[in-house]
């Protein structure tokens, strides 16, 4: 016997994904979250092509203008158009959040799959590393590293990814523990399949629902973390900015009545984070076979 058994019958797998998609579409909050994320992606990545502004040089004759006319969201203390800055900062926030969330999920998935599949002392050592990391707040680590290195966008992505992979690793490990004793995995091992092949062909594909759900929550957490750090002045440095940096820059001005400097970025952070969380909840419910009837 030389053939490797498939993970699941193709028709059954296809039907399962179609059913999950239908369940997701019936979740109004999750669909609304997806629409919000798509709209913000279009605003931040395509918007600057249609609404071009200068976010590098100061314009001292146009400082602190109220919304209206040529500046729909007003201008800030150095004359930057606030709508253009919202799009420019959103591009950084979304890029860092998406990339860091994916990086954290990839690292956590590999770590958890290896730990759960290996078992024994390897699993014990690897998960004690995870437990030790979880005991230290990710925000504290991020603040310390940011204060030392003053990272750019790429640096923030790497740092966030390296401090956020712990929770996905525990979720994937738990899933791996339930999958490694399934018949198709045992059959693969019996015919001489390697451990790596078992993980790549069976464990990870059958954990895709857990991985996807974890990734959505990791993106939301990463956007919040980078906003925290930037609000404290330790994120990307001027002339670059993100939504957290915009909040920090506009906080003092808000006391003088210039509300347009904090309301748009604040609402953007709230809407995007809530949207990713709603998508994650919707995906979790869609993939939950116990809820299918």
């Amino acid at each position: 016997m030389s053939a490797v058994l498939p993970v699941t019958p193709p028709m059954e797998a296809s039907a399962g994904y179609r059913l999950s998609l239908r369940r997701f579409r019936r979740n109004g909050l999750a669909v609304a979250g997806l629409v919000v994320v798509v709209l913000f992606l279009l605003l931040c990545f395509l918007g600057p092509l249609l609404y071009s502004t200068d976010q590098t040089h100061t314009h001292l004759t146009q400082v602190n203008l109220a919304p209206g006319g040529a500046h729909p969201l007003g201008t800030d203390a150095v004359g930057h158009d606030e709508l253009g800055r919202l799009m420019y900062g959103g591009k950084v926030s979304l890029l860092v959040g998406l990339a860091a969330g994916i990086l954290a999920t990839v690292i956590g998935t590999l770590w958890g799959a290896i730990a759960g599949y290996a078992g024994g002392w390897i699993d014990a050592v690897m998960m004690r590393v995870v437990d030790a990391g979880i005991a230290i707040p990710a925000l504290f680590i991020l603040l310390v590293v940011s204060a030392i290195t003053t990272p750019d966008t790429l640096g923030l992505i790497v740092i966030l990814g390296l401090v956020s992979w712990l929770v996905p690793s525990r979720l994937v490990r738990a899933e791996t523990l339930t999958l490694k004793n399934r018949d198709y995995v045992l059959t693969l091992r019996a015919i001489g399949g390697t451990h790596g092949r078992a993980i790549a062909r069976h464990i990870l594909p059958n954990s895709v629902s857990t991985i996807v759900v974890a990734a959505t929550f990791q993106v939301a957490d990463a956007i919040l973390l980078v906003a925290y750090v930037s609000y404290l002045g330790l994120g990307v440095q001027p002339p670059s900015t993100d939504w957290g940096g915009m909040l920090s820059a506009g906080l003092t001005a808000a006391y003088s009545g210039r509300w347009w400097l904090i309301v748009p970025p604040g609402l953007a952070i709230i809407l995007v984070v809530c949207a990713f969380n709603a998508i994650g909840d919707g995906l979790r419910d869609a993939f939950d076979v116990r809820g299918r009837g």
Side-chain angles (χ1 to χ4, degrees):
M1 182 177 183
S2 58
V4 177
L5 295 180
V7 175
T8 53
M11 293 295 293
E12 181 181 341
S14 177
Y17 284 120
R18 286 198 299 269
L19 180 57
S20 295
L21 180 60
R22 286 199 298 270
R23 288 170 57 85
F24 182 84
R25 286 198 301 238
R26 288 200 297 265
N27 190 322
L29 191 60
V31 173
L34 182 60
V35 170
V36 168
V37 169
V38 171
L39 289 178
F40 269 100
L41 288 173
L42 292 175
L43 172 68
C44 296
F45 288 90
L46 296 183
L49 300 178
L50 303 176
Y51 186 79
S52 179
T53 59
D54 184 359
Q55 297 296 323
T56 303
H57 302 93
T58 59
H59 306 277
L60 299 182
T61 60
Q62 301 180 10
V63 299
N64 297 324
L65 296 179
H71 305 284
L73 292 182
T75 62
D76 63 11
V78 293
H80 291 149
D81 182 89
E82 192 69 2
L83 177 57
R85 200 141 187 88
L86 184 72
M87 294 187 290
Y88 183 74
K91 184 185 298 185
V92 175
S93 293
L94 291 172
L95 178 62
V96 172
L98 288 167
I102 293 172
L103 177 61
T105 303
V106 170
I107 296 173
T109 295
L110 294 176
W111 189 278
I114 293 172
Y117 185 82
W121 67 268
I122 297 178
D123 179 34
V125 171
M126 293 179 72
M127 296 316 295
R128 294 301 75 75
V129 172
V130 173
D131 292 339
I134 290 178
I136 305 174
L139 181 58
F140 173 76
I141 299 175
L142 187 58
L143 288 174
V144 171
V145 176
S146 297
I148 295 172
T149 64
T150 311
D152 56 7
T153 300
L154 179 60
L156 276 176
I157 292 172
V158 174
I159 294 170
L160 281 169
L162 293 179
V163 301
S164 304
W165 60 271
L166 303 169
V167 172
S169 70
R170 300 186 78 171
L171 295 174
V172 174
R173 172 186 176 268
E175 191 75 14
T176 301
L177 290 175
T178 66
L179 292 172
K180 70 176 185 178
N181 292 320
R182 298 287 178 88
D183 290 342
Y184 45 79
V185 177
L186 297 177
T187 300
L188 175 64
R189 296 293 300 127
I191 62 176
T194 63
H195 298 302
R197 188 176 181 83
I199 293 174
R201 291 292 301 273
H202 295 297
I203 301 297
L204 293 182
N206 281 284
S207 302
V208 65
S209 59
T210 299
I211 295 169
V212 170
V213 172
T216 58
F217 289 121
Q218 287 303 308
V219 171
D221 290 343
I223 292 174
L224 277 180
L225 281 173
V226 73
Y228 294 155
V229 174
S230 297
Y231 179 79
L232 296 175
L234 299 175
V236 293
Q237 299 301 305
S240 296
T241 190
D242 57 40
W243 288 334
M246 292 177 65
L247 282 177
S248 179
L251 182 61
T252 302
Y255 292 114
S256 302
R258 294 190 285 273
W259 54 267
W260 59 89
L261 298 182
I262 62 169
V263 171
L267 284 177
I269 293 172
I270 293 172
L271 288 174
V272 170
V273 170
C274 289
F276 273 109
N277 283 329
I279 293 171
D281 288 335
L283 289 172
R284 181 179 57 200
D285 294 341
F287 285 119
D288 185 6
V289 296
R290 292 171 297 182
R292 296 177 182 174

